[in-house]
Structure formats: C-alpha cells, structure tokens
Amino acid sequence: MQSVDALIVGGGPGGLFMAARLAERGVRTLVCEEHARVGDPVHCTGVLSADSFPRFDLPDSATLNQLTAVRFVSPGGIPVEYATPSPLATVIDRPAFDRALGDRAIAAGAEVLAGARVSALEVEAAGVSATIGGAMVHARLVVLACGANYGFQRRFGFGLPRAYLHTAQRELRASRVADVELHFGQHVAPGGFAWAVPVVRPDGPYVRVGVMASRDVLGCYARMLKRVGERCGVTHPDLPPRQKILPLGAIDRTFGERMLAIGDAAGLVKPTTGGGIYYSIVSAALAADVAVDALARDRLDAETLSAYERAWRAELADEFEAQHELRDVVTKLSDQAIDNFFELAHTDGIMPIVRATARFNEHRSLIRAIFKHPPARRILFRALVA
C-alpha cells in the first residue's frame, strides 16, 4: 500500500497548484486525476485576470491573447461598450495551462497520476484509506479538488452548493477576431448570460461561444451561435458544445476530519460570472498553508483544519455575499427592465462608476456603487416588489 502525506482528488488548476505548494514544502503529495490526460476534457472558458499571473506566479506559457474591450448586449440589442488601456484579462489554452501546473507540481516532487479515479474514501483515526482503481493508498490528509462532483462531500456531511446552472461551450474556428461579447436576457440565457470570447492561436483566430443558463442550455447555445457566428466567420458551427454543471455558492462546510475541499469542489466560484479558476487558486493557496502547518504538527482534526474555512471566508465571504445579492436581483429582471438598465448606462452616469470601481476578480465595490445609484436602484429593485 502506498503511503503519502496528502492525497489530492482531482488534477485541475486548484489541485495541481496546491500539489506544487505542498511538495515545495516537503509534503509527500499524490494527485489523482480521473481523466486519461491532465487538462482534458475542457469545460472552461479559460479567461484569467492579468494580475492573477504575478500574484500566484502562474505559468504564462499557455497564454494566447489579451482582452482589452468587452461589448455588453441587452435583450433588445442595446450595446454598451467598455474598454481599458491595459488588458482586462488573458485568454489561456486551458489544457496547456493545466499541464504546465502539473509539470510544476512534478518538478517540486509531487506524483501526478492520470486515469486514476478515486472510487472510495474511508476516514479513520490513523488516516484515510483511498481506493484508486485496484490499489489502495493511505494518506494523512485528503483534499477534494474534483470539480463539480459532490459524492464525497455529500457522504462526509459537507453539504452541496446552494444553486446550480447549466453551461454549454465550444471553441470554433473563425475568420475574424472581434471583442468579447456578453449577451443578456430571459430568452438569451435565463439566470445567466451568453458569451463570445475571441481566441488567437498560432494557426489563426477562433471564438469560444458559450452560455450559462438555468434551463434550455442547448437552445440558448444555438441561438447565441446564430447571433454571433456569421459576424465572426465561424466554421463548423454544427460541432456539439461541451456541457457541464456549474455550482453557484459555497457548500455548507469545506473541512472535516483529515479532509479539505477547494475550488469548484467547495462551490467557490463567482456567483456573477461562474468563473472558477481564480477562486480555485486562491482557495488552494490558503488550504496549502493550513495543511502544511497541520501536517507538521500532526493535528489533522476538523477543529484544526477549520482554519482553512476561516481563511477563505475572511478573504472571500464579503465578495460572495455582494455577488449573490446582485444575482438575486438581476435574475428577476424582465427583458424590458434589462433594456432600461442598458439605456440608463448611456445617459445617467453608470459608466463612470464602472470605470472607477470595476475589477475582474472583485465585484463588490462595483455592486455596492450601483446599488447606491438612485436611477439604477429604481430599475433593479423594482423587480423585488413586482
């Protein structure tokens, strides 16, 4: 039986980033990725804020192109454009990004196994026994980094995310590169939005077309593709999109006896946009600090590991609360109310607020400012009393 200090279930960005952090500090770490190759299949839009790279020393070898402008489109076709002199975000090649993180973890001393599904976990006083294929592994600590799969969380009483959306996305070859587009409306994407993100690869332009919605996700995807496909010069529009479940809201508890949960596995994604890579890395960094200390002291009880949840709540809870407040309001807006809000953006001072407060990863300041703006507040909160 193989013995390790830390077993990480899932080889996505959070799990691989945490593996490197642990291994660099002398922790014997094993990552088990159930798919045959790290980075595949791709379900993510693959957009990261530019400042994430220096903050976490992320590999930039997988970057494709920078994004400096975005075009928001209302249900009635009213556009609002926003641009910055420096990049808003970076488009990454997600498989290459994950594999670069995997290579870094391996170089630090971690073991990364692909095609290795963890089918069972048993937590005992002496450690955790994991069934991986036909083999058994003994670990002192287990980290759930398995994305939007919640079997272990349910079994160990961690709870489930407060809500879910469905997503569908495909990267398609295009003949023209445009700006990012985000489309809104009850018919466009109920409970979410649809997007088109330009991608520049060495062999030419592509576009990632996708949607997050509470229902009819394939219909929403087809309508969005029809809306932007001809303009972008999309080829092979008949290729089916990849679908996944998107959690919105943290699970009840992200720690237990000898166990932590990070990233999507903990429900830690942006309630506004569904973005998960950044929060996955943030939670992995915080979890690594707690795990290293707990392993060194051989204190792996739930009370000791609860320091991880206190850490991520101290950094992210106010942000999540503000984003959920906005989501609770905007998902109740009619298409006419959304159009009214877009019209207001052209006439009544909302764009200066956006320029002063908008941040790619932190939306709380912008949300609070818009909620305090009387004309915007009238439109947004009319939905709550209608």
Side-chain angles (χ1 to χ4, degrees):
M1 178 186 294
Q2 182 180 3
S3 294
V4 296
D5 293 320
L7 169 65
I8 298 178
V9 183
L16 294 168
F17 181 87
M18 185 171 177
R21 282 283 180 99
L22 293 177
E24 288 165 357
R25 294 154 83 174
V27 176
R28 295 174 302 154
T29 304
L30 171 64
V31 179
C32 288
E33 167 54 47
E34 66 175 347
H35 295 105
R37 189 182 187 196
V38 167
D40 295 326
V42 178
H43 298 288
C44 170
T45 307
V47 177
L48 267 173
S49 64
D51 59 4
S52 299
F53 289 85
R55 177 180 176 184
F56 295 109
D57 188 27
L58 299 177
D60 59 9
S61 57
T63 59
L64 295 173
N65 52 287
Q66 305 291 333
L67 303 175
T68 59
V70 58
R71 186 171 183 261
F72 302 91
V73 183
S74 79
I78 302 168
V80 172
E81 297 181 354
Y82 175 68
T84 58
S86 57
L88 288 165
T90 300
V91 178
I92 61 172
D93 182 324
R94 176 61 191 275
F97 182 78
D98 286 16
R99 287 192 276 273
L101 288 172
D103 290 344
R104 183 177 292 182
I106 293 170
E111 183 179 2
V112 178
L113 295 180
R117 180 175 177 269
V118 179
S119 58
L121 291 173
E122 296 295 335
V123 179
E124 301 165 347
V128 182
S129 297
T131 304
I132 304 169
M136 295 291 292
V137 171
H138 180 271
R140 297 170 63 201
L141 172 71
V142 167
V143 179
L144 302 179
C146 45
N149 296 302
Y150 299 100
F152 290 133
Q153 292 87 324
R154 184 184 293 110
R155 183 188 167 195
F156 291 103
F158 283 20
L160 298 172
R162 61 188 282 183
Y164 303 87
L165 289 179
H166 302 277
T167 70
Q169 178 181 264
R170 186 83 192 204
E171 180 176 308
L172 301 165
R173 182 177 283 278
S175 61
R176 293 175 292 277
V177 175
D179 292 328
V180 178
E181 289 193 16
L182 303 180
H183 292 236
F184 301 86
Q186 295 296 337
H187 184 64
V188 173
F193 61 93
W195 62 86
V197 175
V199 178
V200 181
R201 294 185 179 273
D203 64 338
Y206 291 76
V207 61
R208 292 175 186 164
V209 179
V211 62
M212 51 185 278
S214 58
R215 63 181 184 275
D216 189 26
V217 68
L218 290 179
C220 293
Y221 171 83
R223 290 189 290 273
M224 181 61 179
L225 181 56
K226 184 176 181 179
R227 201 173 294 121
V228 302
E230 183 175 350
R231 181 155 24 94
C232 295
V234 165
T235 59
H236 304 296
D238 54 335
L239 293 173
R242 293 189 175 96
Q243 300 181 65
K244 68 170 287 190
I245 296 294
L246 178 70
L248 293 177
I251 59 179
D252 296 336
R253 189 159 54 93
T254 58
F255 66 94
E257 298 291 325
R258 296 185 178 272
M259 192 173 295
L260 298 171
I262 66 172
D264 285 24
L268 303 181
V269 302
K270 293 179 187 175
T272 49
T273 68
I277 300 177
Y278 174 77
Y279 288 154
S280 180
I281 299 295
V282 170
S283 61
L286 296 172
D289 289 341
V290 171
V292 167
D293 178 68
L295 287 164
R297 294 192 292 128
D298 198 26
R299 292 285 304 276
L300 296 157
D301 56 282
E303 182 179 356
T304 299
L305 295 179
S306 68
Y308 159 65
E309 182 158 313
R310 291 195 299 274
W312 75 250
R313 287 190 180 279
E315 181 161 343
L316 301 175
D318 288 346
E319 181 67 31
F320 284 154
E321 180 182 2
Q323 291 191 29
H324 276 298
E325 287 177 2
L326 179 64
R327 164 165 287 281
D328 290 344
V329 173
V330 299
T331 54
K332 295 180 175 66
L333 295 178
S334 66
D335 283 356
Q336 182 59 60
I338 298 172
D339 280 341
N340 291 344
F341 188 83
F342 272 67
E343 289 173 350
L344 186 67
H346 285 282
T347 62
D348 202 305
I350 286 182
M351 294 314 294
I353 294 175
V354 172
R355 283 188 285 272
T357 61
R359 302 292 182 272
F360 191 86
N361 291 320
E362 293 84 31
H363 302 171
R364 182 170 177 263
S365 295
L366 173 61
I367 293 167
R368 292 287 183 256
I370 288 178
F371 280 176
K372 292 178 181 178
H373 185 66
R377 183 179 178 85
R378 281 194 293 272
I379 293 173
L380 293 174
F381 286 90
R382 192 175 297 142
L384 298 181
V385 297

